[in-house]
Amino acid sequence: MSRRVAARAHSMLEAMSASFAIAVDIGGTKVEAALVDENGAVLAGSRHRAPTGPERSAEELAASVRSALGGVLALIGPDTAVSPERIAGVGIGAAGPVNLVDSRVSPLNMPVWDDYPLSALVADTVHPVVPGVPVTLRLDGLCITLAEHWVGAASGHDNVMGMIVSTGVGGGLILGGRTVPGPTGNAGHIGHVEIGGHEDACPCGGSGCLEAVASGPRTVAWANAEGWVGGTGEELAAAVAAGDPIALRAVARSGRAIGRAIASAASLVDLDIVAIGGGFSHVSPLLFEHARAAVAERATFGYVTRVQVVPSALSGEGPLIGAAALIHRAEMVD
Amino acid sequence: MSRRVAARAHSMLEAMSASFAIAVDIGGTKVEAALVDENGAVLAGSRHRAPTGPERSAEELAASVRSALGGVLALIGPDTAVSPERIAGVGIGAAGPVNLVDSRVSPLNMPVWDDYPLSALVADTVHPVVPGVPVTLRLDGLCITLAEHWVGAASGHDNVMGMIVSTGVGGGLILGGRTVPGPTGNAGHIGHVEIGGHEDACPCGGSGCLEAVASGPRTVAWANAEGWVGGTGEELAAAVAAGDPIALRAVARSGRAIGRAIASAASLVDLDIVAIGGGFSHVSPLLFEHARAAVAERATFGYVTRVQVVPSALSGEGPLIGAAALIHRAEMVD
């Protein structure tokens, strides 16, 4: 193949898909990496993962990040389908707390990483293959919110809270069409907004926080204390579907708590829509009904009751898509 | 005086103070207007007020606005100290809720003004004297926050919550160095963030809101219910100073509630500093100590416990200075 033909083939490929982001999502059980195109689609075959978790050393965690990234980087090169010029940057969504002042992370569930220079690790791994591209790190909750805004349930709205209700409760904020990272990068942590009437002790040191009331494990624990026999969110979901009265009350209690936290947040920042995902958000549609009913009680303030509360429209690729949005939608990322 | 001398005197005046904002503050008992210069100083003799309140008709309220503005406008003219060219614009701080979508107000304590076109009223009053200047309306809590940021206790910080603790509890937000009005203009309403462990009924329709727990009247009512005999915040302040045990507990309860709301807000939006003013904030320095102690309990999250909680550094001119900041600091006003 002459050089001229090769150049023509390359620009046809570029026209097919002008650029990709390398997306990285680092959580308490695994790290994932993938290539995500400008439309928010994960490139087939590009998704790689490696284990994380509190039992691993700092160097083992770093090795997992390099391993997941390595799978992606193997796809990139002058002789492969994705040339380095087509990589627009690297977006990282990380479990928090984060420290955006110097791009470090201190994830609660990986305590050996205490102010760990994650962006530097990722840059050092990527730049030998793709020189000089930007590396942007944000809290995972913010990335999820960007994904909901880009390709999910919050599309078309300028004032969005994304929420994850799972083992913990996290989230992120987009206000006035721009992300709100906060000066340290930890804004959006709806799980530590308190709920009136609750005083459950929270690992944060406070009490009555949403996470301490309405996370999956806390909801199961409350149901257990009321006499329900079962151990998982899935079992609780089945019990709700079967009409178990304790399970129904457990979902009502957590759903109302979620709604009350949303009402507090909407009072404080004036939201259009809240998109809720995470494993425990699927326990029952009743969770959403109770949340909406709690919001509706704030009848004096139309700017609060107007907020829509909807399920996430993201698949399991959401965190990666959100990390990619840090690059592909950089114009709205503060 | 020849025209030439007059022109020279005029430019000397302009050099002395290049421009003023007409500042308007509309609250539940009065409307005030004044001229405020580029340094945040109220021009001596320019402050005028007129009564408002729930007993007045919509037209009487409008007449009060015109009256307060009239006092200011009388100072402006080609033959007076302040020529129309020196007026940069009109800033209005209004009791809420507001409706920034079309610049209207529906103050809770002036129910006859239901979606009232306040900006149009002010523009129609000002423009015959000062043609064409911009008129900017925002929630009073946001204006207070701008004033704290400009000339008050939050100077030099980019992530600020201003709070007013008085008959009600209100506030405003500056995040990333820009105001956060929210799409309807009502963002910053910290008074309707819930407090764990409290279920006091709130006029908003919710329960456990900060305003329902820690406003001046609610604190006094709680102390009364505990057996304290007294009727005002001032009397409560005296009782605290004298060491009355019920008064001390009342201030501890409200101070802790304020701190817990701040911790929720800091979790959600990642704040540098919170400046608290309003009549009841002066009840005792212990109010601040209890608030800070409650924030400090969130020990897991350094980004929450780092928030400074300080008294307002504004005088009674704060609301007017904040309204003027809508014009003089327009570059940070969203």
Side-chain angles (χ1 to χ4, degrees), chain B:
Chain B
M1 192 160 64
S2 74
R3 285 184 62 188
R4 184 166 170 184
V5 171
R8 190 178 300 149
H10 183 241
S11 45
M12 283 172 66
L13 265 174
E14 287 202 316
M16 278 163 49
S17 180
S19 81
F20 289 101
I22 299 174
V24 183
D25 176 55
I26 300 188
T29 59
K30 65 182 187 300
V31 49
E32 291 198 282
L35 292 175
V36 179
D37 73 17
E38 294 162 306
N39 298 314
V42 174
L43 181 66
S46 77
R47 190 171 174 184
H48 293 79
R49 70 171 63 181
T52 60
E55 74 284 7
R56 287 183 159 71
S57 71
E59 183 44 44
E60 286 167 343
L61 293 172
S64 283
V65 171
R66 288 192 201 96
S67 166
L69 273 171
V72 172
L73 294 172
L75 304 172
I76 303 168
D79 302 322
T80 67
V82 181
S83 67
E85 295 74 29
R86 292 173 65 190
I87 304 299
V90 187
I92 310 170
V98 298
N99 165 5
L100 287 194
V101 177
D102 42 15
S103 234
R104 290 164 181 262
V105 300
S106 306
L108 288 183
N109 42 18
M110 290 174 266
V112 293
W113 269 8
D114 182 13
D115 221 29
Y116 183 82
L118 177 60
S119 285
L121 169 69
V122 170
D124 290 348
T125 308
V126 170
H127 282 163
V129 179
V130 192
V133 289
V135 176
T136 304
L137 168 75
R138 292 291 184 274
L139 197 66
D140 49 7
L142 181 62
C143 292
I144 284 286
T145 308
L146 272 167
E148 295 285 3
H149 183 265
W150 191 14
V151 298
S155 174
H157 294 278
D158 276 345
N159 301 277
V160 179
M161 184 163 69
M163 287 179 70
I164 298 293
V165 182
S166 180
T167 310
V169 178
L173 289 170
I174 291 171
L175 299 178
R178 302 193 64 81
T179 62
V180 178
T184 70
N186 293 292
H189 212 333
I190 184 70
H192 299 281
V193 169
E194 295 183 8
I195 312 302
H198 293 269
E199 281 285 31
D200 309 64
C202 184
C204 79
S207 58
C209 296
L210 177 60
E211 180 169 293
V213 174
S215 71
R218 289 296 183 107
T219 307
V220 165
W222 184 86
N224 289 156
E226 294 287 308
W228 177 70
V229 179
T232 67
E234 289 76 10
E235 288 165 0
L236 191 70
V240 171
D244 179 278
I246 298 175
L248 286 167
R249 283 196 288 123
V251 166
R253 173 179 167 275
S254 291
R256 281 190 57 77
I258 290 168
R260 294 178 75 165
I262 289 170
S264 286
S267 297
L268 191 62
V269 297
D270 197 355
L271 295 166
D272 300 325
I273 190 167
V274 178
I276 309 178
F280 192 68
S281 73
H282 304 294
V283 67
S284 165
L286 291 171
L287 193 79
F288 286 81
E289 291 186 24
H290 289 296
R292 292 181 190 119
V295 172
E297 289 175 4
R298 300 284 195 107
T300 302
F301 293 124
Y303 82 96
V304 173
T305 55
R306 77 185 181 91
V307 68
Q308 298 177 55
V309 180
V310 300
S312 166
L314 301 175
S315 68
E317 294 174 340
L320 288 167
I321 293 168
L326 297 173
I327 300 301
H328 286 312
R329 312 211 78 193
E331 73 283 357
M332 65 178 290
V333 176
D334 278 331

